[in-house]
Amino acid sequence: MTVAPAAKAARRPRPLSLTVRVALLLSAVAVATFLAVGAYLYQTLASQMAERDDIELIGKVAQIRRILAELPSPQAIVQNPRPLTEALFGHDDFMLSVKGADGASLLRTSLTSRPLPQVERVPPRRALTLADVHDWTPAMGTGRMVSAVGLVGADGQPVQITLARERSDRLRIMRDYAVDLFVALCVGATLAALLGYAIVRHSMRRLRSVIGKANAINTSRLNTRLSVADAPVELREMGQAFNAMLDRLEDGVQRLSGFAADLAHDLRTPVNTLMMETQVALSRPRTVQEYQALLASNSEEYERLARMIENTLFLARVDNAQLGLRREAVDLRAELQRIHDYFEILADDVGVRLMVDAPPLRAEVDPVLLQRAVGNLVSNAIRHTPAGGEVGLSARATANGVELAVSNTGPGIAAEHLPHIFDRYYRADPARSDHAHSAGLGLSIVRAIMELHGGKIRVDSMPGASTVFYLSFEKTQNI
Ligand SMILES: Nc1ncnc2c1ncn2[C@@H]1O[C@H](COP(=O)(O)OP(=O)(O)OP(=O)(O)O)[C@@H](O)[C@H]1O
Ligand SMILES: [Mg+2]
């Protein structure tokens, strides 16, 4: 089953807006940061609390040891356990067991219901350290305990002291703390997302104004430009690129409308001539000879029109990149000789000498387009060379390719015209140009052909003396 493109497009999820993306990203960063900081704080608090508890535990054992030292005998513990139980006053979670050297129980606080495990006992007279505190598993949760030998009375009778503590209250505190951290994390991430959304939306205002301006631009309002001076750096670059694009578009549209105007103007002249001649001829009866003369004259105009249309089409195809280049290894000397032979009769007619000066040279070019380019230059040269002058065709190898030159003696081209002669419909001296043969397209076609080849065209002209057009082709890999 085939799916219609519209249906496919409808099914594709819409990409998230930049604002939402930044907001989500900010909130993800906030979650990661809160998680890392929260875990660190939780860990620090847990270890600090455990250490404080252990210090308290060994402090209590030291205190119990001191109390025991002041008692006359182990039996005194049984008779009066108060000094020891008072030492644990306020610490309901502490469990104390004191046993005599023979293992008989001398004291057990009420909570000590389960037998405490045997752990290594700290010998008498050695002070307790944190390393003496061990883990212990009560009925619920976890616990810590320490076991030491205490000495009773002046004669130092040993008794076993075991002090343990449940940590369930501590675990509860830590659990509450973790819940608080989690709530803070959720609130923080939400706040970061909302703030991010608001900030990005605010910053996007500039972008929206750019979009507004872009929407207002059409071919008749191409002179609008974005003001980039006070824009943020990121938008400034975009604005500059946008303005540069508008410059190019404006230039292109101007040239296009100029081109259309010139084309219309140049087509109008021959069409008007044809119209007038035909109307005059039809105004009264004519002889066959007169009709023949009219048709012969019209035929010339038709030829000119046809050539103009063909040239304009050629340029349009080059512009639209529809013209393919067919490169071949071409013998340049033979090619120039062929052009020479083609134009020789025309040159002879106007008293111009046509010469070829080229060594054997090969280049990878499109032979048809090359003929057209050089042909246009030679036809211009012959037209602008006074009788008795010379037109030269030459070729030479250069450092990175080949260069063809078409030179002619004659009045040359004035400096002010040089920058324009390659423009479409430009004629240096329209008044003097032979209108029937000149449309001002020849050189723009030569330039277009050179651009297609990746080559260059340039001109040197000495007014009153000579003009030389150079076509340089860069070496292609397979020359
Ligand atoms: N060899 C030259 N000597 C003096 N002027 C030249 C020479 N070649 C070109 N020009 C000037 O440059 C202008 C542009 O030449 P281009 O070949 O584009 O147009 P054109 O010859 O007038 O018309 P088209 O070639 O379309 O029939 C010419 O009108 C002419 O004034
Ligand atoms: Mg020409």
Side-chain angles (χ1 to χ4, degrees), residues 292-366:
Q292 276 175 343
L294 172 75
L295 288 179
S297 151
N298 283 2
S299 168
E300 251 179 50
E301 285 299 313
Y302 288 135
E303 260 174 43
R304 180 169 133 70
L305 272 173
R307 210 177 44 247
M308 268 179 70
I309 291 168
E310 198 270 325
N311 282 345
T312 310
L313 273 179
F314 177 85
L315 285 169
R317 272 162 56 212
V318 173
D319 279 353
N320 295 329
Q322 285 174 358
L323 202 77
L325 202 57
R326 293 206 194 115
R327 283 186 194 265
E328 287 172 23
V330 166
D331 178 351
L332 290 179
R333 185 161 62 168
E335 216 58 46
L336 291 185
Q337 192 57 48
R338 202 167 299 143
I339 296 168
H340 167 275
D341 297 347
Y342 180 82
F343 281 99
E344 200 176 17
I345 300 170
L346 181 71
D348 271 352
D349 275 357
V350 289
V352 170
R353 231 151 63 91
L354 194 57
M355 292 179 309
V356 176
D357 169 24
L361 263 182
R362 295 183 85 75
E364 284 278 327
V365 293
D366 183 321

Side-chain angles (χ1 to χ4, degrees), residues 84-85 88 94-98 107-113:
L84 287 176
T85 49
L88 298 181
F94 275 55
M95 292 155 236
L96 174 66
S97 144
V98 182
L107 172 75
R108 258 170 74 156
T109 56
S110 57
L111 271 173
T112 323
S113 52

Side-chain angles (χ1 to χ4, degrees), residues 3-23:
V3 182
K8 259 191 209 166
R11 219 179 291 156
R12 208 177 302 136
R14 256 171 58 134
L16 287 178
S17 79
L18 204 62
T19 320
V20 173
R21 274 180 213 212
V22 173

Side-chain angles (χ1 to χ4, degrees), residues 311 380-381 383-384 408 412-413 421 426-429 433 437-444 467 469:
N311 282 345
N380 278 353
R383 187 136 41 93
H384 291 95
N408 72 292
I413 306 169
I421 53 169
Y426 190 85
R427 286 178 302 235
D429 191 350
S433 294
H437 296 103
S438 167
L441 285 175
L443 288 179
S444 39
T467 305
F469 283 90

Side-chain angles (χ1 to χ4, degrees), residues 54 57-63 65 122-123 125-133 146-149 161:
D54 287 356
L57 208 60
I58 57 180
K60 279 289 168 224
V61 174
Q63 191 186 352
R65 269 178 163 180
V122 180
R125 278 189 271 277
R126 176 161 85 61
L128 285 90
T129 65
L130 286 174
D132 299 320
V133 186
V146 63
S147 193
V149 177
I161 311 162

Side-chain angles (χ1 to χ4, degrees), residues 385-407:
T385 307
E390 271 179 15
V391 171
L393 294 169
S394 64
R396 67 181 185 98
T398 58
N400 48 2
V402 290
E403 187 175 72
L404 302 182
V406 176
S407 61

